[in-house]
Structure formats: C-alpha cells, structure tokens
Amino acid sequence: MKLFSRKRSVANTNETKDYNNDDLKRNVQVTAHKETLEELTSSSRLNVNPHTGLNADDAKQRLETHGMNMLTPPKQTPTWIKFLKELSGFFSLLLWGGALLCFIGYSIDGSEDHLFLGIVLVVVVVVTGIFSFVQNSKSESLMNSFKSMLPPKVKVLRDGTTDEVISTRIVPGDVVFVEAGDLIPADIRVLECSDSFQVDNAALTGESEPQKRSSVCTHDDPLETQNLCFFGTLAPEGSCKAIVIETGDRTVMGRVAALAMSTKKEQTPINKEIHHFILIISGIALFLGLTFFLLNIGIGTPFIENLVFMIGIIVANVPEGLLATVTVCLTLTAKRMHAKKVLVKNLEGVETLGSTSCICSDKTGTLTMNVMTVAQVVYGDAKTFITEDAPSSFTGGKKTYDTTNVCFQKLLRCAALCNVATFTEGSKWRYKDDGDGETKEIDEFGNPIPVPFKGVVTQGDGSVIETSNWKSVGNASECAMIKLVQSESSMPCDEYDIDSIRSSYPVKYTIPFNSKNKYQVHVHENSSSGKHIVLMKGAPERIIDRCTHAVIGGKIVELDEAERANITRQQEALSANGLRCLGFAEKELDSNVYNNQYKYAAESDEFYSCNFPIGDAPSEVIMDSHDKTQNPKSTGGLVFLGMFALIDPPRPAVPGAVKRCQTAGIKVIMVTGDHPVTAQAIAFKCGILWSKTRGDMIKDNLKFGRTFGSADYENPNDAEAIVVAGSELSPQMKESDWDFILNHRAIVFARTSPQQKLIIVENCQRLGHIVAVTGDGVNDSPAIKKADIGIAMGISGSEVSKQAADMILLDDNFASIVNGVEEGRLIFDNLK
C-alpha cells in the first residue's frame, strides 16, 4: 500500500564508476535480472557462451577495460598534511597566534614570563594535535574493512573448463560457481542453482534470515528479485552457477562503499560551541588590546612599552587551558562509559551523545537479539487448537504452554526429528588447555563436566539476558526449534539431549525442503516399538491441506472444517504480528508394510510421487509428461500437530531504554531493511510505536467501508504513528513530504536501502535534530558516518560499520546508549 503517489527514482550503475554524491544516493537500477538468458549473454557488454564461458583473450581484454574486481581506495592525503591540519584548526591557530605574540614580547622586553607562556602554548597545541591525529585517522581503515568481503579465489568457467581464479581478476561475463559457505565474489545473475540455494543479505539489506535464490526473476526491484546475488553477501546453503554482471566499484556494495567514503562528517555540537566561544574571546581580546593600545598612544606611553602591554592583554585572554580541560573531561567520561560496555572512538562524540535529540536505530542485531526464537506455539488442547506463549522477550518471558499436553509433546518430537540442525559437541562440555591441546575437564569422580544449556549474559546497563551456552549449527529457524526442545529437558546433558532423542528415533528416509513443495519430510523408526513415523514440517497452509486428522484432547480425531478455519485464523493472526509460522504433522505407519526392509522412495520409474503417505491430494492426471502415474500410497492423510511461530525478538532491556529516551525528549526512529510487517511488530514490542499507524487506519477504513465524515471514520492525518516502506522514498521527494513523515511522533522506516538510510538522516538533521545512528551492517555505514554520532555493534557489527562509527557498543545493547546519553549530558553541563 502506497502512502504517497511519488515514485522512487533510480540511477543506472552500468555506465560509469565516476559517481557524484547525488548519484550515489539514488537506489540501484539494473536490468540484468529482467532480461532473458539469450538477451543477457548476447549483449555487447557480456557476450558470453554460458556453457563454455569466456576465452582467455576475452577475459584479459575485459580486465584491462573494466579493471580489477576490487573497490578503488580514495585518494590518500599524505600523513604529514593530515598532521598539519590537526595543528591548524581554528582554536589551534588562536593558540599559535598567542604563542607568536609571546615570543615577540620576549624579543622586545626579554621577559622570561613571555618565553615560558609561549612554550606552554606551543606544547599544548602539539600534544593535543598528536592526540587528535591518532583519534581521527579512520578513512584508510574504513576502505580496508571492505576487503574482507571478497573471497580469495573463485571457481570460473573459461574455455570450457573449470578453474580457480583469483577473485580480483574476474570480469563481467565470467561464468562462476558458488557453493555453500562461499562469499559472493561480484554482482551475479543466477543461471542455475540447487533448490536449497540461499544468500545471507544481512550485511546489505539487514534481513535477519537467509533469502531464497533461483534462476527466475521474481521482482522488478533488483534487491528483491531471486535471480541476483550481490558482492560481499554470503551463501550459507546450496550452490549455483551464475554469470558476473558487475565487478568492483560498479557493484551494489561498491556504491555503498563509495557513499560511505564520500559522506562528510557533521561538525559536533561541542566543536561548534568551542568555535563560537573562541570567536567571542578572540574578539574581546583584540578589542581590549587595541583599545588600550590606542589609549596609551593618546597619553604618550612609549611605543615598545605600549606594544608589550597590548600583547600581554591579548595573550591573557587566550584560554590556553581550555583544550586540555575539554580533552581531560572527555577522556574521563569515555573511561566511565567503557566500564558500561561503550567504547568511545571519537572523544567529542561523548558530548554529542548527550546532545542527541533523535536516534535512528537499525532493527536486526541492535533492537533485536539477531537470533531466531520460537515466540508462540499452536497445539491442540482438550477441545480445540490454541495459541500459547513460549519464553522470549517477545512475550515478556512468559511461558504458558502445557508441557504435559500429549499434542505439545508430539509437536516437540516432530520439531526435534524433522530437523537437521545440531548442537556442536564441543560447546556441551567444559574444556581446559593442558599444553597438548584442549581436553574435557574432569570432576572428582572422573566424569566430564557438562556446560549448562542455559546461561545468562550481563549487559552494560546491568540488565541480564538469558542465552544458550550451546552453539547451534544449521538453518536459523531449525536452530530455534532445537533450542526450545532442549530447554524443556530437565535431564543432564549426558543422559538426554537432542542427539539422544534422535538416536531413539533413527532416520530411515528424508525429503529435503524445496521451494516447490514448501515442506520437509523425515521417516523415523521408534526404537521402542519398531514402528515407523512420517514427520512433516513446512508452510502451514501446505501442511494443513495434507492432514485429515489432528491431535485434540490427547486423541487423534478427524480434522473438520471448523477446526481448519480456527487453525487458519490463528496462523493469519500470528503472521499479521510479524511472526514466521511453520506447521507440523505426523503419520504412524503400519509396521506390517513399512519396516526396515521397506525401500522408501520419493519417486520411481513407475510413479512420480512417494511410496508412503505424505497427504498428497488424489491427482486427476492419469500420467505426467514422463508417463508416470501417482502412487496411491502417497495420498494417505497426515495428523496435524500444530505450529511454531518464530521471530527475532527484541532485547529484553530495549523497551525500557526506549521509554527512557522518550522521557528524556529523544525521538527514537526505527530504520531497517526488513519487511514492514515484521518491523512494525518489533516496533510495538520495543515501544517505538504505541498507537495505530497511518497505514492501518487507511486499511481499516477501506475494510469496513468507512468514508470521510462518517462517525467511525479514522482520519489518517490524525495518526501519531507511521510506517514507511523504502519504495515510497526518493532523493527527489519534496521537503514538505519529508516534513509530513518526520513530524509524526512514532516512525518506522522499513525495506530501506543504504542510500535511503543516509537520506533519512540528512532530513532529520535538516529539521534541527542532533542525530545518532545505530547499526551493525555494511548497509548502515553511510548513515553511521553521516550522523552527528555513529554507533556500531561490537559483537555482531561488521568491520565496515565499526570503522565508520564514533562509538561501539561492546555488548550490542541498545540500552547502553541511554547510559551514554546521561554521561554526555552530565559532561555538557560541566563544561558549560
């Protein structure tokens, strides 16, 4: 739904790499994802046979034309010039002038007082200049931090053979191969891929989950379509064959890097105050000096004596101790903040944080924990399916489900077995280094000492969050499931854990999740009974359609239409609240047919469907294109068990911290790359939103047929809250449009690009706000650098965001910012 009629404007990245700052602020537009394979490969720019790749001569020529596949570093200012700039700031020039006058006075009257004062002024300027030089030299390291996003070598198809090529030497038109765990070496168009191929776009878009990729164009927006992958992102699962469409500076990440480097830092409030103060003091000093100089001329004072007197008056008014005083105060405050898990990189940022009137915060990893968590559970109670809370910050730590419920127990079993995520063995036990490597610690009885599954972490503000001590490996959603299952085990880890459950139910057959079916199937054997069980997990609507029965009241009963409608309503309510739902089902098989001698198969030479029950609807097609028929065994209905609703929940201390900010007059705005529905749900939980949004009012008016003037009409212009999608923003938006958005009391920007985050910060500053920006990804770096004070995450933050920031939250806790604001306001009052 569009809140404004204005369309987003974009610029083409395929023509030149010499962008000006306005070009860099525009969202990217490429057409490679919308072209057919023939159009793409036959274009004059790529011109490649996707089956044989480029030949060596073409690759060499294109390397000369397009340059190395690396980000061009900015022009470097010589170190000595940087140092001289630190010695020639406005305040420093005032002190240099005072020192020069002292030396002139000494040369005139030989007074040692003038000499000593001149030396002191020089020492103050040089020492503070050295300190500032060390603190403020960041531009080189910012660009260097982008280098870690490039893999060392890439598998490339050239001259019909596959070889490994140094990643900096790949060119547009190269056909490359990406496997699980690889960094994407350039901007690429997917030609073919495994069904499980995904990319983690968190660094670029802020999305908390890996995104599915395929060879099909699914969206006009290049950042949304499934057939493009971008330089610097990660492929956690699957593999693909792709063609390189852009390299180096022309990549999307290259534009972000250029934007971060070209963004100029705002002058800090304390710097402005000192500059203004020095102008006043200088004016007073010169006025007094010249006034007395002229008066003394009038009364006939000898010229040399008069000149020395004038110099004395001017130098006496130079605040030579101010720079040292400010530096010491800021340093002491920075030390106190470090004890509260806040690392200060730019000392002036301490005071800036105290002056902050607006915080633009990223969501994933900043306001939230950046860990997928089961927040709510749907299962059958005595009469019907109900939604209950699982313990998480999303539900206020409440746990309302009944662990003795038969349906809930079956649901946990299905979640544990129809799942390939695991806990690493090394994280379950305490280890010690005995000099020959790490070995398990042994207690007094000779038994290994286990690590408790649950642990706590103390944040910088003193709050405590519960966490898992065991490290999970696998898909984020599946990891969340095994954590919930494990948390309900009260037994010691060496007697009962996920691995023990799985050993009691050995796997017999699996069908991996794929985007076509949207489900995952496992067949397991119950070791105690010998019976085989089909377990299924997937999209709730797909799972429900395959079920004929459900577990209600501890028994398997027929799943009627009323109960189907009830389950669907609960799923829609959960999805509308920003949670991702997964459905679960099972089917206990007849041991006379399905036993250890039975050969399970997803298809065969005769049948295109499974030879065991998975709830397929009977097909009207007698034979498919390969002359295969449906196996009647696959149509056996399943038993519905329930649903898990997952989300990346807010950090426990965040709602309180947001409230304290608002009480202190600081506006907190969420700026995220995630979807609007998810962003809105988290914003309500964090307290950033607290009333009906403009968009919700428009929807409800349309839904219930309300018209302007009717008694129940909700006027969207009266809304205090607004959620704005990135598709509604552009650099050409009128200031009045921005003012309309930013004048709302509660604001969420969702699905925003790095360029849009920067523009949001600029408009907040235009309205007079002192803006702090928090973030952890590469996509946040331009906005972090543009902000009056940029704040990066120390644990989950990328090196790029840390280098661009003025402060780093060592515990990734948004609440630590509040402590910084309090310290900053205190030092501001003290310096005043």
Side-chain angles (χ1 to χ4, degrees):
M1 180 184 61
K2 297 187 180 297
L3 301 175
F4 308 98
S5 60
R6 190 181 298 276
K7 298 285 187 181
R8 157 171 77 178
S9 178
V10 291
N12 196 311
T13 64
N14 296 337
E15 301 301 325
T16 176
K17 75 175 186 178
D18 296 322
Y19 305 110
N20 60 43
N21 197 257
D22 289 336
D23 288 333
L24 292 170
K25 290 179 184 177
R26 301 175 188 271
N27 282 342
V28 295
Q29 179 185 17
V30 294
T31 58
H33 60 300
K34 294 187 281 190
E35 297 174 6
T36 65
L37 181 59
E38 183 178 354
E39 290 172 340
L40 183 68
T41 56
S42 62
S43 66
S44 58
R45 177 172 170 77
L46 299 184
N47 191 22
V48 61
N49 183 334
H51 304 293
T52 60
L54 298 173
N55 61 49
D57 291 336
D58 277 345
K60 182 178 180 181
Q61 183 177 356
R62 294 187 188 196
L63 186 63
E64 293 176 355
T65 302
H66 298 284
M68 302 282 277
N69 178 36
M70 58 189 297
L71 304 182
T72 304
K75 294 180 180 178
Q76 296 297 319
T77 303
T79 303
W80 65 272
I81 291 181
K82 291 181 182 179
F83 182 59
L84 285 181
K85 286 183 177 180
E86 297 295 344
L87 298 180
S88 56
F90 186 79
F91 186 39
S92 297
L93 290 177
L94 178 63
L95 295 183
W96 280 121
L100 179 62
L101 291 176
C102 286
F103 293 140
I104 291 174
Y106 172 71
S107 65
I108 294 174
D109 64 2
S111 171
E112 291 185 353
D113 289 343
H114 286 152
L115 176 62
F116 292 152
L117 181 56
I119 294 173
V120 167
L121 292 177
V122 170
V123 170
V124 168
V125 173
V126 172
V127 170
T128 53
I130 292 173
F131 189 83
S132 298
F133 173 75
V134 173
Q135 286 286 317
N136 297 326
S137 297
K138 302 191 192 88
S139 59
E140 280 187 54
S141 53
L142 176 57
M143 181 55 74
N144 288 339
S145 59
F146 279 91
K147 294 180 181 178
S148 62
M149 308 183 75
L150 191 65
K153 289 189 176 181
V154 186
K155 287 184 180 179
V156 178
L157 179 66
R158 288 183 181 173
D159 292 318
T161 60
T162 303
D163 196 7
E164 284 195 339
V165 174
I166 297 174
S167 57
T168 56
R169 302 186 70 83
I170 62 174
V171 295
D174 260 329
V175 177
V176 299
F177 298 90
V178 177
E179 298 177 351
D182 288 349
L183 288 168
I184 305 299
D187 286 358
I188 59 177
R189 157 83 180 267
V190 178
L191 301 178
E192 57 188 63
C193 65
S194 64
D195 197 73
S196 61
F197 183 53
Q198 295 181 323
V199 291
D200 184 353
N201 281 341
L204 189 62
T205 65
E207 292 164 304
S208 55
E209 283 195 276
Q211 303 299 303
K212 169 69 182 170
R213 286 296 178 262
S214 69
S215 58
V216 180
C217 177
T218 58
H219 204 286
D220 287 341
D221 190 331
L223 293 177
E224 300 281 356
T225 187
Q226 290 189 358
N227 63 344
L228 291 184
C229 304
F230 300 101
F231 166 84
T233 57
L234 176 69
E237 291 185 49
S239 59
C240 83
K241 176 183 178 182
I243 185 170
V244 175
I245 58 173
E246 292 292 357
T247 59
D249 292 324
R250 293 184 178 86
T251 62
V252 173
M253 197 68 76
R255 289 172 60 92
V256 174
L259 187 59
M261 295 304 303
S262 63
T263 300
K264 293 183 179 179
K265 196 70 180 172
E266 293 295 307
Q267 189 179 15
T268 62
I270 194 171
N271 197 289
K272 293 176 183 177
E273 288 279 349
I274 291 175
H275 183 81
H276 178 67
F277 175 72
I278 290 171
L279 284 176
I280 295 175
I281 290 296
S282 300
I284 293 173
L286 291 173
F287 173 76
L288 291 176
L290 290 174
T291 299
F292 280 100
F293 182 76
L294 293 175
L295 288 174
N296 285 335
I297 289 177
I299 62 176
T301 303
F303 178 77
I304 296 298
E305 183 180 341
N306 192 13
L307 181 61
V308 171
F309 184 72
M310 182 189 72
I311 292 173
I313 289 178
I314 294 175
V315 172
N317 283 279
V318 172
E320 63 274 359
L322 177 62
L323 197 55
T325 301
V326 170
T327 302
V328 169
C329 288
L330 293 175
T331 302
L332 291 175
T333 304
K335 188 175 181 180
R336 288 197 301 271
M337 291 176 68
H338 187 271
K340 297 179 180 180
K341 306 295 185 182
V342 180
L343 175 64
V344 178
K345 291 177 60 183
N346 180 1
L347 286 180
E348 290 183 355
V350 174
E351 186 277 332
T352 305
L353 193 57
S355 306
T356 297
S357 60
C358 176
I359 298 176
C360 293
S361 178
D362 182 37
K363 176 185 75 69
T364 306
T366 307
L367 296 171
T368 66
M369 300 177 71
N370 200 20
V371 178
M372 288 301 289
T373 305
V374 178
Q376 291 181 298
V377 182
V378 177
Y379 63 90
D381 70 350
K383 296 181 180 180
T384 187
F385 275 81
I386 58 173
T387 300
E388 297 291 351
D389 292 337
S392 74
S393 57
F394 189 81
T395 59
K398 294 184 299 181
K399 180 175 78 171
T400 60
Y401 53 68
D402 180 9
T403 56
T404 64
N405 180 282
V406 174
C407 186
F408 178 75
Q409 292 173 351
K410 287 178 176 287
L411 182 61
L412 285 189
R413 182 180 69 177
C414 188
L417 297 177
C418 193
N419 189 322
V420 295
T422 60
F423 293 114
T424 60
E425 189 63 25
S427 66
K428 298 178 183 180
W429 307 96
R430 285 171 53 179
Y431 284 82
K432 64 178 181 179
D433 190 347
D434 57 6
D436 296 324
E438 289 191 336
T439 58
K440 289 182 180 179
E441 283 193 41
I442 306 299
D443 63 18
E444 56 184 322
F445 303 106
N447 299 316
I449 302 176
V451 172
F453 172 68
K454 292 183 179 179
V456 294
V457 175
T458 303
Q459 304 285 281
D461 63 342
S463 63
V464 174
I465 59 172
E466 188 175 277
T467 185
S468 169
N469 290 326
W470 295 3
K471 182 181 179 182
S472 55
V473 179
N475 176 276
S477 296
E478 293 194 333
C479 288
M481 294 174 203
I482 63 172
K483 287 177 182 177
L484 178 67
V485 174
Q486 188 67 43
S487 69
E488 291 306 323
S489 169
S490 59
M491 304 293 287
C493 67
D494 58 340
E495 295 181 22
Y496 184 85
D497 60 11
I498 288 292
D499 293 335
S500 298
I501 296 174
R502 290 172 179 172
S503 65
S504 299
Y505 290 85
V507 63
K508 296 300 178 182
Y509 188 75
T510 64
I511 300 176
F513 180 89
N514 65 67
S515 57
K516 178 183 178 182
N517 297 326
K518 293 189 176 180
Y519 62 70
Q520 176 181 343
V521 176
H522 282 212
V523 180
H524 290 258
E525 178 190 359
N526 186 332
S527 298
S528 59
S529 67
K531 288 189 175 183
H532 290 193
I533 307 170
V534 176
L535 301 164
M536 180 179 285
K537 172 188 71 185
E541 63 275 11
R542 296 293 181 93
I543 302 299
I544 295 171
D545 288 344
R546 293 175 175 275
C547 295
T548 56
H549 293 75
V551 178
I552 298 178
K555 300 177 182 178
I556 297 177
V557 300
E558 186 177 347
L559 185 59
D560 57 29
E561 290 304 315
E563 196 57 49
R564 288 178 187 273
N566 171 47
I567 295 169
T568 301
R569 282 194 301 272
Q570 293 184 68
Q571 184 234 322
E572 290 174 348
L574 292 168
S575 298
N577 206 17
L579 289 93
R580 181 194 177 198
C581 295
L582 288 172
F584 297 84
E586 71 174 23
K587 175 79 172 183
E588 192 173 272
L589 302 178
D590 183 355
S591 57
N592 293 321
V593 179
Y594 303 97
N595 48 47
N596 289 337
Q597 284 70 49
Y598 191 80
K599 302 296 183 184
Y600 294 95
E603 61 178 323
S604 62
D605 294 338
E606 183 180 357
F607 302 110
Y608 62 77
S609 63
C610 296
N611 63 352
F612 59 93
I614 60 168
D616 279 347
S619 175
E620 297 179 359
V621 179
I622 299 175
M623 287 191 176
D624 68 359
S625 58
H626 300 288
D627 296 329
K628 294 182 180 183
T629 61
Q630 183 182 45
N631 193 322
K633 291 182 178 180
S634 70
T635 60
L638 304 180
V639 178
F640 186 72
L641 300 177
M643 293 182 289
F644 278 176
L646 302 98
I647 200 167
D648 175 16
R651 294 177 178 274
V654 164
V658 170
K659 183 67 176 177
R660 288 168 67 191
C661 286
Q662 293 165 343
T663 303
I666 299 173
K667 192 172 190 174
V668 181
I669 299 174
M670 178 188 288
V671 185
T672 178
D674 217 337
H675 293 276
V677 173
T678 305
Q680 181 170 323
I682 294 296
F684 271 111
K685 290 294 182 180
C686 292
I688 293 174
L689 296 180
W690 60 85
S691 63
K692 206 166 189 177
T693 67
R694 174 181 171 83
D696 286 342
M697 287 183 178
I698 294 173
K699 285 181 182 178
D700 285 352
N701 286 337
L702 293 173
K703 180 179 178 180
F704 298 108
R706 300 167 181 164
T707 57
F708 183 77
S710 60
D712 57 351
Y713 178 76
E714 295 180 314
N715 190 342
N717 291 331
D718 294 336
E720 290 186 322
I722 188 170
V723 178
V724 184
S727 58
E728 301 295 334
L729 306 176
S730 80
Q732 285 74 39
M733 276 178 60
K734 295 179 181 178
E735 288 186 357
S736 57
D737 289 339
W738 278 108
D739 293 348
F740 173 78
I741 295 172
L742 296 175
N743 283 332
H744 285 80
R745 293 181 62 197
I747 307 170
V748 170
F749 291 99
R751 224 65 188 130
T752 53
S753 67
Q755 293 87 348
Q756 289 167 339
K757 290 187 177 188
L758 175 62
I759 296 169
I760 290 166
V761 172
E762 288 179 337
N763 278 279
C764 288
Q765 290 173 331
R766 178 180 59 80
L767 293 178
H769 285 295
I770 303 298
V771 182
V773 172
T774 69
D776 62 346
V778 175
N779 59 323
D780 300 313
S781 57
I784 285 176
K785 191 174 180 186
K786 176 63 178 176
D788 294 287
I789 177 165
I791 305 170
M793 303 297 109
I795 299 173
S796 62
S798 65
E799 286 302 313
V800 178
S801 63
K802 292 178 188 177
Q803 293 294 345
D806 301 298
M807 287 185 181
I808 298 174
L809 302 182
L810 299 177
D811 57 357
D812 284 13
N813 186 15
F814 178 87
S816 298
I817 297 174
V818 180
N819 296 324
V821 170
E822 292 170 348
E823 292 285 356
R825 290 189 173 185
L826 180 62
I827 195 173
F828 185 79
D829 292 338
N830 289 341
L831 289 175
K832 279 284 190 177

